[in-house]
Amino acid sequence: MQRIAHTDRARRELERTVRTADVLVRRLGVTRYPPELSRVVGYRPDGRAPYLVATRRGRPLADMGDRLPLEAGELWAVVDGVLTVLRHLGDLRLVHRDIRPETLWWDGATVQLADFALVLDEGEPRGAAAGADPWRSPEQAKGQGRADCRDDVYSAGAVIFHLATGEEATTAADMRDRVRWLDTTLRNLLDGVFTDEARHRVTGYALRLRRDARTGRAGAQGPGPAAPPRLAELEQQARQHFRDLRARQRAFAQRPPGPAHIPPERPPGRPARPFDRQAAVVSMVLLAACLSMLVLFVSVLN
């Protein structure tokens, strides 16, 4: 896909997309870049018509409008792909802010997220309203506070609801009522998604655990049996998730300093803190968080 910027706004969006593309490659690495995220393969930021070229897989979900609601088999395959996208964004601590049927592409096997023109790091000020109705969350519509990965959970939930029912999302309060009338599997998955504030919303990782508990195995397609995964499987998933987080943390910490991220000078006489000690502390915190989530999830299953 080639995108050409003809207006000042398009130029700013192109520049942000290029910066985000650089962040993705540095944090993920070239060999571990997931197919669920679109990748910029070339760009020219200057000249009369700046442009970029990015990968795309399949067609946007918006093209499925005449086939909605989707058949169960295809629906759950797409849902699994959307949840994988949310997990990648959560691991990277990036907030896409524009998840909708036009930016989610499907090739029959993989869901890919495209268009990173509005991306913020989690914790950055939202600054202004972003995204498009009816997919954006209430906090994105207000443009207040700080970006949260759970902003994208709301948008992804609205897309899943749309694919499953053929209807578009409305207000958060109305969506909470409409979710109650869905079938059990969808109702359980979307419970806690359509909240008025991000801090009260479930995380993308929690949605992935719900889905895995329903299927009985990670990444399965279709509603599947109701048997929950065994404790050993949950522990293995938690450990793998922790290893992925650590690998991406190391890649981020070792990134070369760019012009927009020049570290401040250290005051004279103040020794530098060794990275190994900092990494050890962060590792213990992440491990404790993963194990706490595992214990909580097992207690809910029991």
Side-chain angles (χ1 to χ4, degrees):
M1 189 281 297
Q2 182 174 354
R3 179 176 178 178
I4 302 175
H6 295 288
T7 65
D8 290 341
R9 178 180 177 181
R11 287 172 183 264
R12 290 193 297 271
E13 292 180 351
L14 186 145
E15 290 172 356
R16 182 181 289 272
T17 301
V18 171
R19 288 197 299 269
T20 301
D22 181 58
V23 169
L24 290 173
V25 171
R26 285 193 279 107
R27 295 186 186 180
L28 291 168
V30 175
T31 59
R32 295 185 296 110
Y33 201 98
E36 291 82 12
L37 301 179
S38 175
R39 182 172 179 175
V40 173
V41 295
Y43 62 89
R44 187 181 69 183
D46 52 9
R48 296 183 59 184
Y51 69 90
L52 66 81
V53 180
T55 60
R56 291 290 188 273
R57 300 177 69 96
R59 302 183 64 83
L61 294 180
D63 289 356
M64 292 184 171
D66 58 345
R67 297 170 47 203
L68 300 182
L70 294 181
E71 296 286 342
E74 186 173 21
L75 170 65
W76 288 107
V78 174
V79 168
D80 285 333
V82 172
L83 296 183
T84 301
V85 166
L86 287 180
R87 177 171 177 177
H88 285 311
L89 292 174
D91 289 349
L92 293 164
R93 297 180 67 83
L94 292 177
V95 187
H96 186 271
R97 303 201 300 164
D98 198 24
I99 291 180
R100 50 193 170 95
E102 289 79 8
T103 61
L104 290 169
W105 290 55
W106 170 245
D107 65 357
T110 302
V111 172
Q112 184 182 75
L113 179 62
D115 298 335
F116 295 94
L118 301 179
V119 169
L120 291 177
D121 281 307
E122 187 173 41
E124 281 191 84
R126 293 191 179 98
D133 292 327
W135 318 106
R136 63 182 177 181
S137 63
E139 59 272 13
Q140 280 183 237
K142 296 176 182 177
Q144 301 173 350
R146 297 185 177 274
D148 191 306
C149 285
R150 289 169 289 187
D151 296 1
D152 291 335
V153 171
Y154 186 103
S155 301
V159 171
I160 292 172
F161 177 87
H162 176 60
L163 298 176
T165 65
E167 304 171 6
E168 288 193 348
T170 51
T171 64
D174 186 44
M175 289 304 299
R176 290 193 291 270
D177 182 65
R178 295 169 76 181
V179 165
R180 298 192 188 103
W181 297 96
L182 298 175
D183 66 76
T184 303
T185 305
L186 277 169
R187 185 172 67 248
N188 291 340
L189 179 67
L190 297 178
D191 181 43
V193 167
F194 299 106
T195 62
D196 295 311
E197 298 180 31
R199 62 193 180 97
H200 298 146
R201 193 170 301 137
V202 296
T203 65
Y205 188 61
L207 293 184
R208 180 73 265 176
L209 287 177
R210 288 179 183 178
R211 176 70 180 137
D212 291 347
R214 179 63 184 173
T215 60
R217 63 188 187 278
Q221 296 182 2
R230 294 176 299 176
L231 178 60
E233 294 172 347
L234 288 173
E235 182 179 358
Q236 182 179 8
Q237 293 173 20
R239 290 182 181 277
Q240 182 60 47
H241 184 61
F242 173 73
R243 286 194 291 268
D244 292 342
L245 286 174
R246 287 292 294 117
R248 287 167 183 173
Q249 180 197 32
R250 287 193 295 271
F252 179 70
Q254 295 170 1
R255 71 193 191 284
H261 301 280
I262 300 176
E265 294 184 0
R266 189 175 304 279
R270 183 177 177 183
R273 296 177 60 187
F275 174 76
D276 290 343
R277 180 181 177 185
Q278 181 183 5
V281 173
V282 173
S283 300
M284 293 301 295
V285 172
L286 289 174
L287 180 58
C290 290
L291 293 178
S292 298
M293 182 178 295
L294 176 62
V295 172
L296 177 62
F297 185 72
V298 173
S299 62
V300 171
L301 291 177
N302 294 334

